[in-house]
Amino acid sequence: MLGALLHAACTPPETPPPDRVVLVSIDTLRADHLGSYGARRSHTRHMDALAESGVRFEQAISPAPLTLPSHASLMTGLEPPGHGVRHNSLFRLPASIPTLAEGMRAAGYATAGFVGAVVLDRRYGLDRGFDVYDDHMVGRRSALVGFAERRADDVVDAVEAWLENAPGRFFLWVHFYDPHAKYDPPAGFASAFASRPYEGEIAFVDAQLGRLLAAIRARGGDEGLLVVLTSDHGESLGEHGEPTHSYSIYDATQRVPLLMSGPRVPAGRVVETPVRLIDVAPTLLRMAGARPLPGALGRDLRGAIDGDDDEVRTAYLETVATQLDMGWSPLLGLRAGGFKYIRAPRPELYDLRADPAEKRDLAALEPERVASLDALLEARLSASPEASPPPVALSEAEREQLRSLGYLAPQVVPPGEQLGRVGGADPKDRVAVLQQLSLAQSELARGKPEEALAALEGIGAPGGIGGPGDVGASGDIGEQGATVEGLRASAALAAGRYALAVTAARAGLRAQPGRADIWVILGIALDDQGRHPEAAEAFETAAHIDPTSARAQIGLGRWYEREGELAAAAASYQRAHEAGEGEAGWRLAALHIEAGRDDAASALLGSLSPATLNDPSAVLRLAGAEANRGLEEASLRRLALALARQPREPRLAVAMATVHLARGEPAQALIVVEGLEPTGSPDLETRLGLARARAQAELGDADAARRTLNESLARADGASDALVAEARRFRATLGP
């Protein structure tokens, strides 16, 4: 009793809860790239200042190498099986699971969240509890269909605007996405870090963190300000053969920075004891004087901060992206007592104190420890019931945004799939496949489809990358085959290699017939080959599988147009337009132009973004509609403006030449198409050849026209049969 009284007398009174609580999560940030964590070439001055003025947790562990699942854990204090958000894009956090923001709001704080990428869009449920949830993406286009992310400066701009009228007591969450691949820091940082773009992204975020904190301090100084900085996961950067993240649970992706600075946080303290992201929410709620989250597995870190917490925390780890994206085994893991155990088809065991880089697998040498840790993992999984979150329905445009961020983003969890059940190919045996897939995705995102196809070459061939029977056009190739062949089909389509796109799409659909996105790719490729009835069947199948697929509705609309069913075409375009697909808007506007409904066309075009209207495909269709209506001057003006923005773009040049030929102006037509560089597309080369030959023939030079057509046909390997036949028919009209 006397000891307790003396302890109470010596204990300082509780510090009042902080007035302002700021949680910063920096996507894809490795701990060892901060100066305070030992990086020698770091440019993380503002992050390191937080470590100097507060506590640095040396071993902070994320439960998953994926943005949405790990942020769900950060906000709920639960591990992924407990909250049910096991992958990006597929799940919405159940409404029954309380969140950090709800707890802070209940404690009297105004709440605001600002996120940097669509992967944390409000549709996934993390907006619950926030008075303001700013997920409006502007300023950084990663997808043709719209902005998929925004840079850190745009995020800070939005926060600063909110701060102008923010109340004095608030909880603020700010998410920066920039260090995520692809690494493209803004000007200045790009040149300064030309050989280290990932570090350039981190340096840029650090500068914007300084802006953010300065803006917050300008309103109230440091008094009553609690700042917590962490990350959702790290980045492999080639360690263990993984280029980025998602498909392994080594410390390169699971060890993250965790810094805390503010009231009752001792300056310069380092906590060596392993802690977890799931501990952050309980800690912030305790420090804010709020009620704890019911059912949370995370524990308050105040004892660790004060130096009197000897609790040994075991950390759960998982990735089911290997299972859902690739059809391989999932990976589950446990960090306990200085060891990491990974449950896989071939289990792994690492002594993290002696081997922090996880290079020496001890599983075969210590089977008893493996068995003990596996039993501990199983007990942990059995003790907490798995949540069953509602699925999320995404439009094709929204899926394209996620793909543009580097996520393969499966459409659905396959029926009967038991997430987390180990079995199938071991991901560590498929590293070469991951490397080539990552390279292919990167090249395709950079607008280099031929390079993407080269990266995919050999994946799926018997005896090729990934092992026989893994992927390819023969045998049971499974989900991985659908993933690889779908990507191959996308790259082939972008390269104008329509025959290859058809072959790859059909191979992917043999593996997984329910992939609406691959049915759409197949439809587009068939359409571009002139195989319109087959294309219509593919689009109908896609629309049946996924009624929200705007691309399928656009494909059907084009089919109806060809069949003269303009009302049905307009209805399909309208459905796609309502789903947010810009292409549907200009296609519907083109129908209005051709029908003489100019007011309706103008209103519709006025609702579309300049980027959508400046797309060459939009220009071509709208200019074609004007030409069909007899508005040739308007058509030529539209094409001329587009060519001024994109000089000598072959498709625009062919269209402009066609209008000139229709007006009896072959000399102007020839000027437009002369001297164009080879396009690499057999179809486009054939169209260019036809346009040149027609202009030459109308100018009276039949010999030149024949030579042009002969050269074009010699390079037409891979062009559609319809185009080749048209070129041959025109050559025949020129005589011998």
Side-chain angles (χ1 to χ4, degrees):
M1 175 67 75
L2 180 60
L5 290 172
L6 288 172
H7 175 76
C10 296
T11 301
E14 278 287 319
T15 303
D19 294 321
R20 294 158 295 155
V21 179
V22 180
L23 172 61
V24 178
S25 60
I26 302 176
D27 216 286
T28 323
L29 178 61
R30 284 178 63 131
D32 60 7
H33 276 54
L34 277 66
S36 54
Y37 282 86
R40 294 183 177 179
R41 298 192 299 174
S42 69
H43 289 73
T44 54
R45 178 167 61 94
H46 298 289
M47 298 183 211
D48 297 339
L50 291 175
E52 291 173 9
S53 64
V55 170
R56 177 172 66 84
F57 295 87
E58 178 67 21
Q59 297 287 331
I61 308 303
S62 165
L66 295 153
T67 298
L68 183 59
S70 58
H71 274 95
S73 290
L74 180 66
M75 293 296 175
T76 64
L78 292 170
E79 292 160 345
H83 56 62
V85 181
R86 312 287 290 272
H87 200 348
N88 296 323
S89 82
L90 290 176
F91 307 106
R92 178 180 176 84
L93 184 69
S96 59
I97 295 178
T99 68
L100 170 61
E102 288 178 315
M104 296 297 285
R105 185 162 67 182
Y109 288 84
T111 55
F114 296 80
V115 300
V118 295
V119 72
L120 295 179
D121 186 281
R122 68 184 63 232
R123 76 187 65 244
Y124 304 116
L126 296 188
D127 64 316
R128 193 150 36 80
F130 284 102
D131 303 320
V132 173
Y133 195 81
D134 187 329
D135 55 359
H136 183 52
M137 297 299 116
V138 294
R140 193 176 190 184
R141 181 174 296 275
S142 289
L144 295 176
V145 294
F147 294 104
E149 57 179 310
R150 54 179 170 176
R151 289 195 190 276
D153 53 347
D154 293 313
V155 175
V156 175
D157 287 346
V159 176
E160 286 186 328
W162 175 79
L163 283 170
E164 290 179 5
N165 298 301
R169 196 165 189 256
F170 61 74
F171 166 61
L172 171 65
W173 170 38
V174 181
H175 166 253
F176 296 127
Y177 193 74
D178 302 64
H180 195 284
K182 57 185 180 178
Y183 317 125
D184 58 343
F189 290 89
S191 57
F193 295 87
S195 62
R196 299 177 290 147
Y198 174 68
E199 294 177 37
E201 293 275 35
I202 295 171
F204 174 63
V205 168
D206 185 75
Q208 296 307 312
L209 173 67
R211 265 189 70 206
L212 171 70
L213 296 178
I216 294 170
R217 287 169 176 146
R219 296 188 72 252
D222 276 319
E223 187 175 352
L225 173 62
L226 174 64
V227 180
V228 177
L229 182 143
T230 190
S231 177
D232 54 347
H233 55 74
E235 189 79 317
S236 283
L237 299 174
E239 290 187 24
H240 294 89
E242 185 178 25
T244 54
H245 59 274
S246 298
Y247 302 113
S248 72
I249 51 175
Y250 301 110
D251 270 11
T253 59
Q254 302 319 119
R255 180 177 172 237
V256 295
L258 178 58
L259 308 171
M260 190 175 297
S261 176
R264 270 210 64 188
V265 178
R269 176 160 292 172
V270 177
V271 174
E272 300 284 352
T273 305
V275 299
R276 307 156 303 184
L277 277 191
I278 62 172
D279 298 324
V280 172
T283 303
L284 292 184
L285 290 169
R286 169 74 185 280
M287 297 178 80
R291 293 180 180 276
L293 293 175
L297 292 179
R299 303 293 295 275
D300 174 21
L301 295 174
R302 280 278 299 276
I305 293 170
D306 294 338
D308 58 2
D309 182 0
D310 296 327
E311 179 181 356
V312 177
R313 292 173 172 85
T314 58
Y316 172 82
L317 311 161
E318 75 163 37
T319 178
V320 299
T322 51
Q323 181 179 12
L324 289 174
D325 290 353
M326 309 301 295
W328 302 336
S329 176
L331 299 173
L332 308 182
L334 198 67
R335 259 174 154 263
F339 285 85
K340 178 188 285 186
Y341 165 65
I342 299 176
R343 180 189 283 180
R346 293 199 324 282
E348 299 170 58
L349 177 69
Y350 299 97
D351 182 346
L352 297 174
R353 290 165 295 198
D355 177 26
E358 298 163 290
K359 293 183 176 180
R360 185 167 180 250
D361 181 4
L362 303 175
L365 300 176
E366 298 195 40
E368 292 183 2
R369 192 184 299 275
V370 166
S372 174
L373 289 171
D374 188 75
L376 188 60
L377 173 61
E378 188 60 33
R380 191 186 192 101
L381 291 169
S382 301
S384 301
E386 292 189 10
S388 299
V392 175
L394 299 180
S395 70
E396 184 60 30
E398 289 159 344
R399 290 192 196 100
E400 182 58 36
Q401 286 182 318
L402 287 164
R403 283 192 287 268
S404 78
L405 296 177
Y407 297 116
L408 294 175
Q411 287 182 281
V412 294
V413 177
E417 188 84 12
Q418 184 178 337
L419 294 183
R421 182 177 58 188
V422 170
D426 196 318
K428 58 181 167 285
D429 296 331
R430 300 295 182 259
V431 167
V433 173
L434 286 179
Q435 292 170 338
Q436 295 307 108
L437 277 176
S438 178
L439 177 59
Q441 285 180 286
S442 175
E443 296 290 7
L444 192 55
R446 292 168 57 203
K448 296 186 175 183
E450 289 291 350
E451 286 82 351
L453 288 170
L456 292 169
E457 192 170 343
I459 301 181
I465 297 172
D470 242 7
V471 293
S474 61
D476 180 13
I477 59 179
E479 169 68 16
Q480 182 186 334
T483 298
V484 173
E485 298 304 332
L487 185 57
R488 197 191 317 272
S490 293
L493 192 62
R497 295 171 61 177
Y498 305 124
L500 176 58
V502 169
T503 300
R506 291 200 187 282
L509 290 170
R510 282 196 295 274
Q512 196 177 6
R515 286 284 296 269
D517 58 326
I518 300 181
W519 280 107
V520 167
I521 294 170
L522 175 61
I524 294 172
L526 290 168
D527 203 46
D528 286 331
Q529 283 188 312
R531 298 161 66 178
H532 305 310
E534 294 175 80
E537 290 180 7
F539 291 130
E540 285 177 348
T541 303
H544 177 73
I545 295 169
D546 180 8
T548 70
S549 174
R551 300 300 308 168
Q553 292 296 338
I554 289 172
L556 288 172
R558 296 181 67 186
W559 164 253
Y560 291 136
E561 274 199 71
R562 292 190 185 94
E563 294 297 294
E565 299 179 34
L566 299 186
S572 288
Y573 292 149
Q574 184 63 39
R575 284 191 287 271
H577 178 58
E578 290 170 357
E581 178 55 66
E583 179 179 343
W586 53 257
R587 289 195 179 277
L588 184 55
L591 290 182
H592 289 323
I593 291 171
E594 290 169 339
R597 297 187 293 267
D598 294 334
D599 289 345
S602 295
L604 193 54
L605 293 175
S607 70
L608 301 178
S609 70
T612 297
L613 292 175
N614 292 338
D615 183 271
S617 296
V619 174
L620 290 169
R621 178 64 183 100
L622 293 167
E626 290 162 337
N628 293 341
R629 171 100 171 273
L631 306 174
E632 293 171 348
E633 289 291 344
S635 178
L636 287 173
R637 280 196 303 272
R638 187 181 297 276
L639 290 166
L641 285 171
L643 277 169
R645 288 188 298 266
Q646 302 174 70
R648 315 293 282 177
E649 210 286 346
R651 291 177 293 166
L652 298 173
V654 169
M656 197 166 187
T658 301
V659 177
H660 279 304
L661 288 169
R663 286 164 57 92
E665 300 167 348
Q668 289 91 327
L670 192 58
I671 289 170
V672 172
V673 294
E674 281 287 88
L676 291 177
E677 297 294 327
T679 67
S681 166
D683 272 16
L684 191 48
E685 288 294 337
T686 305
R687 291 184 192 279
L688 279 169
L690 266 170
R692 289 192 189 102
R694 283 179 171 137
Q696 290 163 336
E698 290 193 28
L699 288 169
D701 196 343
D703 289 341
R706 276 192 297 273
R707 285 196 301 273
T708 296
L709 285 172
N710 287 336
E711 291 170 2
S712 179
L713 288 168
R715 296 194 300 268
D717 185 32
S720 71
D721 293 342
L723 267 178
V724 171
E726 184 181 352
R728 287 173 176 164
R729 282 195 301 270
F730 184 68
R731 184 175 61 181
T733 67
L734 300 173

